[in-house]
Amino acid sequence: MEARGLLKELLEMPGGDQILKCIQCGTCTGSCPMAQAMDYGPRRLFAMAKGGDFHEVFKANTYWICASCYFCTVRCPRGIKITDIMYALKRMAVARGYAPRERSVYIYQAFKETVEEYGRLSEAKMMQKYLKKSPLDAVKNASLGLKLLLKRRMELKVRPVKDPAAFKAMLTKARELAREGEAPAGSSGLCGIKGDIL
Amino acid sequence: MARRDEPRVGVYICHCGINISYKVNIEEVVDFTSRLERVVVARDYKFMCSNIGQELIINDIKEHNLNRVVVASCSPRMHEKTFRNACKKAGINPYLFQMASIRELVSWVTEDEREATQKAKDFVRAAVRRVIHHEPLQPRIVDINPNVLIIGGGIAGMQAALEIADAGRIVYLVEREPSIGGHMAKFDKTFPTLDCSACILTPKMVSVGQHENIKLLTYSEVEDVSGYIGNFEVKIRRKPSFVLEDKCTGCGECVKGCPVSLPNDFEYGLMDRTAIYRSFPQAVPNIFVIDKEGFSPCRNACPAGLNAHGYVKLISAGKHEEAFKLIMERVIFPASLGRACPAFCERECSRQLAGGPVQIRALKRFVADWYYENVGLEPPVVAQEKKEDRSVAVVGAGPAGLACAYYLAVQGYPVTVFEALEKPGGMLRYAIPEYRLPNNLVDKEIEFVKKAGVEIVCNTPVGKDGKRIDELFKEGYKAVFLGIGAHKDRTMGIPGEDLKGVHHSITFLRRINSGERVVLGDKVIVVGGGNSAIDAARAALRLGAKDVTIVYRRSRVEMPAFPEEIEAAEAEGVKIQILTNPVAFHGKDGNLSEVECVRMELGEPDESGRPRPIPIEGSNFKIPADSVILAIGQYPDSAPLAEDGLEINRDGTIWVDPETLATSREGVFAGGDATKGPSTIVEAIGLGRQAAEYIRRFLEGEDLKARPYEEHWLETVDREEVLKKRRYEVNEPHRPSERPVAERIKDFGEVELALDEERAVEEGRRCLDCAGCCECRQCELLCEANAIDHFMKEETLEVKVGSIIVATGFKPFDPSNLVQYGYKRYPEVYTSVEFERLNNAAGPTGGEIRMKDGRVPGRVAIIHCVGSRDENTNRYCSRVCCMYSMKFAHLVREKTGAEVYEFYIDIRSPGKMYEEFYNRLQEEGTHFVRGKVADVTDVTQSPEEEGRLVVVAEDTLAGKVRRVPVDMVILSVGLTAAEGADKVAHLVGISQDQDGWFIELHPKLAPVSTASDGVFIAGCCQGPKDIPDTVSQAAGAAAEALSLIMRGQVEVEAATSYIDPEICVGCQQCKKICMYSAIDYDPARGVCVVNEAVCKGCGLCAATCPNKAVTVKHFNNEEIFSELEGVLL
């Protein structure tokens, strides 16, 4: 897609237009506890997006690594809700099939699948799904898992919502609405609703 | 009414370049207009405001005989004046002109061209309909008072003052600080030339101070401004500086005596100063001021008005003798008070909220003991001439009587004290047990009073059974003071009260204090909850009782005894049984054996405000007891005095006027427990001293009530505020130690031990100087010029001026809330203004850039845009920070050789030689890192960072997060509106923008004028700016003011109110509502009249008048309704 179209799409997402206010001061990246692990800090990502380099933006791991600690948002001198924009960019990337082979992506997927299936989170189920995708981690974290179990910090029993089928129907409807281009209100924080490829 | 000519209207539509024509179809509007009724000509032109445009109007007026003009263009604020003048030139009254705004209200704000054109037509039609009804008005001419008021004595105010004063006009320069100079006086160097701020400023300050045309009013604030252009009336509040301006020579001797230590605001708290101070050595005027914010809480808490703050500070400075003298001005018996005073002062001490109260009572004990030991028993007073013919008789040698006697004696009045008992001292001797107050100490302090000239005669009761008051007067005494105390025990009136073993507290305490070892037995019950109950119980323990129980009828919180006393008694093993009251005493062979009690419960509050105790029926029980001591109160033995012509209250106290302490009998005064009922020593002494003053007035034939007793009294300062402003450590008081319980209950030796000198001085230093000045008056002794007046009062000065220049400056941004920068958390984080002081030769380090531990910093970070360009604080750029930050970088490198890192977002260096200065800094090797700092932290990650502050920021040009370890961080804080700017704006009638800066009349063309005629602004009060811009603006404002003065007269708006006397019924509602006091009532005609010189034409009166008698000229109903019709048609 044209870079201009992509930028327009970003600007139209909730809070997306705030990116225009960025003065490239670097407070966000300087404040980011995860910046070391990112290909690009938020500041550079915004510069690339404003400049139309979306290919690079979508390839970046920035928003996959973002821990949503909100340090950047609190400190931004322009009042930009940076964390929200991270979600927006993530949704755009996902909609276009970008999902880097990152463990954090597997976590998001495992989380989403568990919630879809049971209507709420079950840590044990989620870990089970995650470890299937990243089996090496199973070996690495075996002893930790055991300790958590022994201390009763992880519940094996799954407790689904009362009516998981109804919950699924709601999700389906939400997806339909999203496809019609009417993003359901309050969807900004919900990962993966708009372009559901996960 | 003048005959109206047939209206002939000319309408002119302006294109404003393309500003109007790009949206409005001008041709269509002209066409539409030309067909309107009464319109003779309608034309358009590219720029109506140009000379050619105006000529067009003038020619048409003459040619077509026009008598009304409408211009449709920008807005009246821009060009109403221009076109009115054009009309005037052409010979028609300027008020026969009307303007339609089709730029601000139409073309700029309407998107659709068709809509815009329609709107323009409507507005033109409205203007035409209105202008037809316009009437010629004559503008009023007012004289301009040539004096000028300047508010703010910073560089802007000084510059403007000098310009005007040099032109020969009088300037009132009002500055709220003690010295002029403003912020510039705090700076070391100025950018970009690096010339010394003081060197260029102080000559100007001196000129201002010495100029004969400048009336310098420092330490003053404008309180009220009324009037209008050319004729302002200003009220100026002159804060008391407590130093006489015309006497102070600025020698600075006074400072040497001041024991007070307060944060130095001029140095931003980087160091302390004394209460009497001068902001800086070059201050103008070069005089000292005393920082006195009120009275300290301790001082106003004392019933005797003793200045605790004063003597505590004197002790802390090692001036024990001076401290003792200060105490003696207010109370006698300091050593006794130092032991047995309930210390109301300590309860109010601000330190209550910061570790514990200053041990004021213990300090008094220390200093009294010290004086008696090191100086002796000589009263520290100057001998007065004896006033033999005015002798005074005092009845009762207790604290009240002796205080009265002492304060009369030291003034030279012969005083004789008559005491009924064997020895003087009253309750001090006979009621307070020796473990709290030893009798030999009382003897010592009575000796001290005697040395002041007081004669004491014992075993001489006065009243019915002794010496009569008449006799005293016959013997030649001119006045009598009755301080007979309250020595009579109350009785319960229940069965068995006459049994052996039933004691009454006052009698009991008197017996043991006289040295008798009263035999009580093992089990003792004390009845009552007051201090004498506690005294009796603790004394009983010391007499060998094994089991002492206090029985009280209410609950513990209602016990009137002081909490410390109750605690001490309990510590010694006294038991307390609440909600219990005796109903009978049972005995065997006339000896007490059992106390029968009843349980009580609490009911509704009684007249004392405490819940009423109600006996629970059938709850009677018996306690075996060997003795019981009833401590249920005492009352004065005043019955014998009633027969000497004194009025006695129902509770047995003597009636006195609470202010003068005069009794119902002329020349007889009374005070202490005798008038108040049982209270405290300190209250008795206070009343004794008060009586002495009123007796003095009586003896000298003065009007007793002409002046209040406390002529010098100030409000108590707010403790919370004090704790906010002072810097202090929360620490435990140095409490006096006590003898161990097991040891002390065996005898009557003192329980509490004295503080040693070292601990006393340390404890004195804990005082937070709540009031600022402690009024120890050491400065008075040191001032050879006699310039100090501690009783100075605030004054209000009224001046008349013709114009006002506001130059109130700015306030540096406070970065405390930006926690990520660690300000106030890490000692080495400074604001830029603090750094200016650190770098200033007159500052706390003498201009050496040193860290708080004295080291020279090796690496320094300067953080830009702190409190600027930030949605979380201020959105605007503060304009000066980039440049002063670079100045800092240069100075740091020059003075210390340190590596300097400038963390910036953008460098803004627009100004003459500014960019060159930036280049110079780059060449000097300053590290410029482009990135706003995210964090300043002491959490280290590498050995290099150890012991340093780490500045974390993304170097946005290198695309990398950096951690830069530094020794010192300077926050380049922005500029914010000055404190109190809103008040000043309100006073002079100018407005502030969203950030608090004053709004100029026009951002480009009238930058120093305001919407308030005759009021000008200069410097940072209008917005952040540097010194060159400030000075230019100040000179500009001065020029505006001078221009006004040179004109001598000025036209003011003719659109004022008019009250039709035919319709007015004189209800005066308009007079009440008028904000400008422009309406007067004429009682002769019974109508209200408008004073046109004062009226601003606001229209409030017109809206208020119930009879519609008021019209606002140029805004009458016809005009307004026609205009509305024109828009709405």
Side-chain angles (χ1 to χ4, degrees):
Chain A
M1 203 192 278
E2 280 295 308
R4 197 173 155 172
L6 286 167
L7 181 58
K8 197 158 177 258
E9 186 182 331
L10 174 61
L11 297 184
E12 280 166 4
M13 294 182 90
D17 58 338
Q18 292 181 12
I19 196 172
L20 298 179
K21 289 171 29 184
C22 175
I23 54 168
Q24 291 287 305
C25 70
T27 305
C28 46
T29 309
S31 302
C32 183
M34 305 303 291
Q36 299 265 305
M38 290 173 177
D39 303 334
Y40 306 107
R43 178 192 61 82
R44 288 184 73 184
L45 204 69
F46 293 174
M48 291 189 297
K50 274 163 83 177
D53 191 0
F54 275 90
H55 182 65
E56 203 62 25
V57 170
F58 291 148
K59 274 201 330 195
N61 67 357
T62 309
Y63 31 82
W64 293 105
I65 285 179
C66 167
S68 302
C69 72
Y70 287 87
F71 251 127
C72 50
T73 304
V74 168
R75 288 178 181 169
C76 175
R78 302 294 287 161
I80 304 171
K81 298 206 164 61
I82 296 167
T83 314
D84 288 4
I85 294 180
M86 288 293 163
Y87 287 128
L89 286 172
K90 189 192 287 171
R91 281 200 297 280
M92 285 177 70
V94 166
R96 282 159 188 85
Y98 289 91
R101 293 193 164 279
E102 283 273 355
R103 277 188 296 172
S104 62
V105 178
Y106 300 148
I107 288 267
Y108 279 115
Q109 286 170 335
F111 176 89
K112 183 189 146 261
E113 283 165 17
T114 315
V115 173
E116 258 185 355
E117 202 171 330
Y118 302 106
R120 64 159 62 120
L121 185 66
S122 149
E123 284 172 353
K125 262 288 177 253
M126 176 174 144
M127 285 322 287
Q128 193 188 337
K129 286 178 192 289
Y130 168 68
L131 294 175
K132 254 189 230 161
K133 296 177 206 238
S134 181
L136 219 66
D137 269 7
V139 185
K140 269 200 264 177
N141 291 318
S143 70
L144 176 69
L146 212 65
K147 269 189 219 162
L148 283 171
L149 275 176
L150 284 174
K151 296 226 168 195
R152 297 208 200 157
R153 286 291 176 202
M154 190 152 54
E155 197 183 34
L156 286 177
K157 196 176 170 210
V158 184
R159 298 167 193 270
V161 291
K162 271 187 195 153
D163 189 355
F167 181 74
K168 270 183 198 165
M170 275 164 62
L171 283 182
T172 316
K173 183 70 187 167
R175 278 188 197 110
E176 268 171 34
L177 288 172
R179 259 177 233 117
E180 282 164 24
E182 307 166 22
S187 71
S188 73
L190 263 176
C191 154
I193 287 212
K194 189 157 186 187
D196 190 44
I197 57 128
L198 278 172
Chain B
M1 288 254 162
R3 190 186 65 85
R4 247 185 237 173
D5 292 328
E6 189 70 6
R8 295 175 61 79
V9 186
V11 182
Y12 302 87
I13 319 288
C14 182
H15 295 237
C16 195
I18 58 158
N19 268 312
I20 295 171
S21 59
Y22 85 117
K23 283 283 179 203
V24 175
N25 185 334
I26 303 275
E27 218 176 296
E28 216 180 288
V29 178
V30 172
D31 182 49
F32 167 80
T33 310
S34 62
R35 284 185 275 113
L36 289 174
E37 215 178 325
R38 309 277 190 202
V39 172
V40 179
V41 266
R43 294 182 198 278
D44 62 298
Y45 187 66
K46 215 165 178 66
F47 291 106
M48 280 312 301
C49 58
S50 67
N51 278 340
I52 304 172
Q54 292 181 56
E55 283 298 319
L56 201 67
I57 299 173
I58 294 171
N59 288 338
D60 275 357
I61 291 175
K62 289 177 179 162
E63 203 173 307
H64 297 280
N65 206 14
L66 301 179
N67 56 16
R68 298 284 193 283
V69 173
V70 169
V71 176
S73 58
C74 42
S75 66
R77 193 168 162 187
M78 291 289 295
H79 277 304
E80 188 174 59
K81 222 174 184 174
T82 314
F83 297 119
R84 276 186 178 176
N85 281 338
C87 290
K88 205 169 154 190
K89 259 190 208 166
I92 67 170
N93 185 288
Y95 284 89
L96 297 176
F97 161 80
Q98 176 65 17
M99 195 158 182
S101 170
I102 58 167
R103 189 181 75 176
E104 279 83 340
L105 295 185
V106 178
S107 69
W108 279 355
V109 291
T110 316
E111 272 195 22
D112 184 76
E113 287 174 24
R114 244 183 15 208
E115 271 180 26
T117 306
Q118 186 54 48
K119 211 164 151 192
K121 285 181 194 169
D122 292 345
F123 283 5
V124 171
R125 182 171 54 207
V128 170
R129 288 198 173 218
R130 186 188 210 278
V131 82
I132 290 168
H133 298 286
H134 279 195
E135 282 167 22
L137 297 174
Q138 291 311 319
R140 287 169 301 132
I141 307 286
V142 297
D143 289 333
I144 301 288
N145 181 323
N147 299 344
V148 182
L149 168 75
I150 298 180
I151 310 174
I155 181 62
M158 285 161 54
Q159 179 71 30
L162 285 172
E163 301 278 1
I164 294 166
D166 282 346
R169 306 298 161 177
I170 302 292
V171 175
Y172 296 97
L173 180 57
V174 177
E175 166 61 51
R176 65 178 168 193
E177 297 295 323
S179 168
I180 53 168
H183 280 98
M184 193 175 165
K186 300 183 179 184
F187 302 162
D188 183 50
K189 295 280 192 293
T190 56
F191 64 78
T193 46
L194 294 175
D195 40 4
C196 159
S197 182
C199 310
I200 56 177
L201 182 72
T202 42
K204 270 196 192 294
M205 288 170 59
V206 172
S207 304
V208 169
Q210 293 175 348
H211 208 296
E212 56 176 4
N213 287 339
I214 298 178
K215 312 284 177 225
L216 187 53
L217 302 168
T218 50
Y219 218 45
S220 305
E221 286 187 52
V222 174
E223 279 295 291
D224 186 46
V225 177
S226 59
Y228 51 97
I229 181 171
N231 300 276
F232 293 106
E233 281 169 29
V234 185
K235 280 196 187 118
I236 299 162
R237 182 168 65 97
R238 306 218 65 196
K239 296 184 266 188
S241 66
F242 306 101
V243 176
L244 301 169
E245 224 171 306
D246 47 349
K247 282 193 179 168
C248 176
T249 60
C251 69
E253 276 300 303
C254 48
V255 169
K256 293 179 189 162
C258 185
V260 171
S261 180
L262 301 164
N264 187 337
D265 295 337
F266 190 81
E267 304 289 354
Y268 298 101
L270 291 175
M271 58 193 283
D272 286 345
R273 62 159 165 80
T274 45
I276 187 163
Y277 73 105
R278 172 173 58 188
S279 302
F280 55 108
Q282 301 99 324
V284 171
N286 191 5
I287 52 168
F288 283 75
V289 296
I290 295 177
D291 184 349
K292 196 189 293 188
E293 289 147 32
F295 273 4
S296 293
C298 51
R299 183 169 177 182
N300 274 347
C302 181
L306 178 53
N307 180 3
H309 181 193
Y311 72 77
V312 165
K313 286 315 280 194
L314 284 170
I315 294 169
S316 78
K319 296 184 175 175
H320 307 323
E321 192 171 341
E322 287 83 350
F324 184 83
K325 284 180 186 167
L326 193 66
I327 293 172
M328 293 307 296
E329 286 180 14
R330 275 285 167 177
V331 297
I332 56 167
F333 295 137
S336 305
L337 286 170
R339 287 163 171 84
C341 183
F344 299 107
C345 47
E346 290 181 18
R347 289 168 209 194
E348 294 303 317
C349 178
S350 298
R351 274 279 184 190
Q352 283 279 11
L353 313 169
V358 173
Q359 300 292 294
I360 304 172
R361 185 180 53 77
L363 286 174
K364 182 155 55 235
R365 170 179 175 169
F366 158 77
V367 82
D369 290 356
W370 179 93
Y371 187 88
Y372 296 145
E373 197 177 318
N374 292 283
V375 183
L377 292 176
E378 284 306 319
V381 286
V382 191
Q384 298 282 324
E385 195 199 330
K386 278 271 174 206
K387 302 173 172 94
E388 292 296 350
D389 57 330
R390 282 157 282 174
S391 59
V392 179
V394 169
V395 180
L402 289 179
C404 180
Y406 175 85
Y407 288 106
L408 284 168
V410 295
Q411 294 179 79
Y413 297 98
V415 185
T416 312
V417 182
F418 299 98
E419 168 59 45
L421 293 172
E422 201 177 323
K423 284 181 174 178
M427 290 291 191
L428 290 185
R429 178 186 305 278
Y430 289 114
I432 301 174
E434 294 213 65
Y435 65 87
R436 276 174 66 201
L437 177 58
N439 277 342
N440 59 9
L441 196 87
V442 176
D443 290 337
K444 220 185 220 180
E445 298 215 283
I446 288 171
E447 194 54 36
F448 182 91
V449 170
K450 280 188 184 165
K451 289 206 175 192
V454 174
E455 196 192 329
I456 302 176
V457 184
C458 290
N459 299 315
T460 314
V462 170
K464 194 182 137 206
D465 308 321
K467 227 179 188 8
R468 306 299 293 253
I469 290 180
D470 287 336
E471 275 177 64
L472 292 173
F473 281 115
K474 258 183 227 150
E475 283 170 24
Y477 294 107
K478 294 287 185 295
V480 176
F481 174 77
L482 303 173
I484 58 168
H487 288 264
K488 272 231 175 243
D489 279 303
R490 274 187 208 290
T491 53
M492 292 196 81
I494 55 173
E497 215 172 329
D498 52 352
L499 285 170
K500 200 160 170 266
V502 178
H503 304 268
H504 292 89
S505 66
I506 291 298
T507 321
F508 166 74
L509 289 168
R510 185 185 301 166
R511 282 168 70 194
I512 57 165
N513 275 8
S514 305
E516 191 182 333
R517 280 202 72 89
V518 182
V519 180
L520 292 173
D522 284 346
K523 195 159 169 46
V524 179
I525 305 285
V526 179
V527 181
N531 286 316
S532 62
I534 304 284
D535 281 346
R538 293 178 73 183
L541 276 181
R542 283 162 174 77
L543 288 169
K546 300 262 174 342
D547 181 354
V548 180
T549 306
I550 293 177
V551 170
Y552 179 57
R553 56 189 181 147
R554 291 191 177 90
S555 74
R556 203 180 162 106
V557 284
E558 283 91 26
M559 284 178 82
F562 297 121
E564 311 83 63
E565 292 291 316
I566 301 174
E567 275 163 37
E570 284 189 306
E572 289 173 0
V574 173
K575 284 176 266 175
I576 297 174
Q577 191 164 348
I578 54 162
L579 293 170
T580 305
N581 206 30
V583 288
F585 302 112
H586 302 289
K588 266 186 214 152
D589 315 326
N591 286 323
L592 177 82
S593 62
E594 275 176 332
V595 179
E596 185 180 344
C597 295
V598 65
R599 296 258 179 231
M600 311 290 278
E601 63 184 353
L602 295 179
E604 291 300 307
D606 60 12
E607 61 272 20
S608 75
R610 298 175 299 173
R612 186 188 302 277
I614 304 164
I616 304 173
E617 241 172 89
S619 64
N620 292 27
F621 62 102
K622 288 178 182 168
I623 317 172
D626 298 318
S627 291
V628 65
I629 305 168
L630 300 176
I632 51 165
Q634 58 261 26
Y635 60 97
D637 190 6
S638 54
L641 291 168
E643 301 194 13
D644 276 6
L646 290 177
E647 199 175 311
I648 307 293
N649 294 320
R650 263 176 56 200
D651 62 355
T653 55
I654 302 169
W655 180 89
V656 286
D657 179 315
E659 187 188 341
T660 62
L661 303 180
T663 63
S664 54
R665 188 169 168 175
E666 164 117 352
V668 180
F669 297 76
D673 286 2
T675 61
K676 278 203 85 169
S679 62
T680 57
I681 317 168
V682 69
E683 283 166 276
I685 293 176
L687 288 170
R689 186 184 180 279
Q690 185 174 342
E693 167 60 16
Y694 283 99
I695 290 172
R696 186 198 64 75
R697 291 184 194 179
F698 172 76
L699 293 174
E700 300 304 325
E702 291 175 23
D703 176 3
L704 293 189
K705 290 193 176 182
R707 293 169 292 130
Y709 170 54
E710 300 283 8
E711 282 186 75
H712 175 59
W713 184 88
L714 300 175
E715 290 279 343
T716 312
V717 295
D718 183 353
R719 289 206 296 194
E720 311 281 332
E721 280 298 309
V722 168
L723 291 169
K724 254 187 252 165
K725 282 194 250 167
R726 302 285 185 270
R727 288 180 307 162
Y728 56 90
E729 211 180 296
V730 175
N731 53 12
E732 281 279 312
H734 300 80
R735 292 200 168 85
S737 42
E738 291 181 348
R739 287 167 65 207
V741 171
E743 187 192 309
R744 75 195 192 201
I745 59 167
K746 286 182 193 150
D747 58 36
F748 277 86
E750 274 198 87
V751 167
E752 191 178 276
L753 305 172
L755 283 179
D756 60 29
E757 179 167 1
E758 195 185 328
R759 277 163 58 85
V761 168
E762 275 303 312
E763 183 58 18
R765 291 203 180 122
R766 288 182 70 245
C767 171
L768 297 176
D769 292 313
C770 304
C773 170
C774 68
E775 291 200 349
C776 67
R777 306 218 299 279
Q778 292 301 299
C779 47
E780 256 175 35
L781 302 175
L782 291 165
C783 181
E784 285 181 20
N786 286 326
I788 290 163
D789 175 10
H790 273 286
F791 310 124
M792 190 184 274
K793 295 260 184 318
E794 184 178 293
E795 279 174 35
T796 304
L797 190 72
E798 288 184 30
V799 298
K800 289 186 174 172
V801 297
S803 46
I804 300 172
I805 297 174
V806 182
T808 47
F810 68 95
K811 184 181 80 177
F813 173 76
D814 176 3
S816 306
N817 288 339
L818 295 176
V819 288
Q820 64 265 43
Y821 297 137
Y823 179 63
K824 287 194 174 154
R825 195 152 38 99
Y826 304 130
E828 289 309 315
V829 177
Y830 299 86
T831 65
S832 47
V833 278
E834 288 170 1
F835 184 76
E836 290 280 4
R837 294 312 299 163
L838 203 62
N839 187 38
N840 193 301
T845 56
E848 286 184 45
I849 300 173
R850 289 289 166 91
M851 296 159 64
K852 296 227 165 76
D853 62 7
R855 282 187 297 143
V856 176
R859 293 157 74 94
V860 176
I862 303 175
I863 303 179
H864 290 224
C865 296
V866 177
S868 306
R869 302 185 69 195
D870 187 343
E871 305 258 345
N872 305 309
T873 55
N874 300 306
R875 291 166 138 201
Y876 53 84
C877 165
S878 292
R879 284 190 61 196
V880 292
C881 327
C882 281
M883 291 307 296
Y884 76 59
S885 298
M886 291 195 276
K887 172 186 78 182
F888 288 166
H890 172 83
L891 295 169
V892 169
R893 279 190 72 82
E894 189 179 68
K895 286 192 175 177
T896 66
E899 293 290 314
V900 184
Y901 293 82
E902 297 257 11
F903 292 90
Y904 69 100
I905 309 177
D906 299 293
I907 291 287
R908 300 202 163 159
S909 54
K912 201 168 169 183
M913 299 301 286
Y914 286 15
E915 184 68 10
E916 291 86 336
F917 188 67
Y918 178 25
N919 293 341
R920 175 177 167 187
L921 263 288
Q922 288 171 314
E923 284 158 24
E924 281 178 3
T926 305
H927 308 294
F928 284 89
V929 181
R930 190 196 173 279
K932 189 170 164 80
V933 170
D935 234 338
V936 175
T937 174
D938 60 354
V939 180
T940 55
Q941 288 183 1
S942 68
E944 196 207 0
E945 293 175 357
E946 217 53 62
R948 289 180 144 154
L949 290 172
V950 182
V951 179
V952 185
E954 185 191 12
D955 182 335
T956 60
L957 299 181
K960 177 180 164 212
V961 176
R962 291 188 63 182
R963 293 174 60 86
V964 180
V966 295
D967 298 315
M968 183 185 278
V969 173
I970 304 167
L971 305 178
S972 295
V973 293
L975 276 47
T976 62
E979 227 165 283
D982 46 349
K983 193 186 151 202
V984 173
H986 183 74
L987 279 178
V988 300
I990 57 182
S991 30
Q992 293 175 282
D993 66 15
Q994 57 180 10
D995 299 311
W997 307 112
F998 296 151
I999 302 179
E1000 61 278 19
L1001 189 61
H1002 189 279
K1004 293 171 189 69
L1005 302 177
V1008 297
S1009 307
T1010 67
S1012 213
D1013 286 340
V1015 178
F1016 308 101
I1017 48 177
C1020 283
C1021 64
Q1022 179 258 350
K1025 58 180 61 66
D1026 55 19
I1027 295 169
D1029 284 3
T1030 295
V1031 172
S1032 317
Q1033 246 195 2
E1040 291 266 15
L1042 281 171
S1043 152
L1044 198 61
I1045 295 167
M1046 296 310 284
R1047 271 183 269 165
Q1049 290 183 321
V1050 70
E1051 275 187 10
V1052 293
E1053 188 54 52
T1056 53
S1057 289
Y1058 169 76
I1059 299 176
D1060 189 339
E1062 299 293 316
I1063 309 175
C1064 177
V1065 295
C1067 72
Q1068 301 184 50
Q1069 291 194 31
C1070 51
K1071 183 176 187 250
K1072 269 180 226 145
I1073 201 154
C1074 180
M1075 296 187 289
Y1076 306 100
S1077 312
I1079 297 176
D1080 292 317
Y1081 177 67
D1082 178 355
R1085 291 189 293 157
V1087 293
C1088 287
V1089 185
V1090 177
N1091 176 358
E1092 291 198 356
V1094 187
C1095 176
K1096 299 238 184 217
C1098 72
L1100 269 181
C1101 49
T1104 305
C1105 181
N1107 262 11
K1108 312 256 178 292
V1110 188
T1111 330
V1112 185
K1113 291 176 197 164
H1114 210 53
F1115 290 93
N1116 63 33
N1117 286 352
E1118 233 178 359
E1119 288 163 346
I1120 291 169
F1121 287 131
S1122 305
E1123 189 173 16
L1124 283 175
E1125 274 168 22
V1127 178
L1128 296 173
L1129 263 182

